[in-house]
Amino acid sequence: TSSLERARAGLEELRGAQLDAEARAAMFRDVAQRLRRMLDAKELKITLRSGRMVLVLPADILFDSGKAAVGRSGRSALEEIGGVLATFPDRRFQVSGHTDSDPIRVSGFSILTSKIASWAREVASDSRFAPAHWRSGASRVPRRRRSGRRDE
């Protein structure tokens, strides 16, 4: 009897995990559909990483190379994404950033901290966005340097 009870409990646990996975997949599809315009315009890419949806803003959407202020297109992108994510009040979001190795007038650390501050000001009113990390890329190959500038 105890092995039958364990098997039933295991089956219930699996059913619960399946329902959770289906709900998560439905949410991912909903977010992708609502951000279709940005996806089609190549202003946004969606990937899955360790079972989590990652929204990737490619190079030059938020920041111009070597600049720390969020630009007009960046504000527009943040507003569009924020509008979709705001419909999930029970979710928390993590923010990551990557920069390139283009020479700038201030140190790499200074541009990183300036970008973090600029990004934070844009989303400061929503405590569900938590800055996670910012990385500096060191590629001298223009194509790789461009792909290094993105925000997730």
Side-chain angles (χ1 to χ4, degrees), residues 45-86:
K45 184 170 109 179
I46 297 178
T47 63
L48 293 177
R49 194 178 301 154
S50 301
R52 295 181 182 195
M53 177 181 258
V54 178
L55 306 179
V56 180
L57 293 165
D60 304 329
I61 294 293
L62 289 181
F63 306 103
D64 292 330
S65 183
K67 303 291 182 186
V70 174
R72 187 179 330 144
S73 64
R75 276 193 195 86
S76 177
L78 290 175
E79 287 172 6
E80 192 166 346
I81 293 168
V84 171
L85 298 182

Side-chain angles (χ1 to χ4, degrees), residues 100 102 139-149:
D100 61 30
D102 275 355
S139 179
R140 298 205 185 279
V141 178
R143 181 178 44 84
R144 286 190 186 142
R145 189 170 52 237
R146 180 175 165 78
S147 70
R149 288 190 314 269

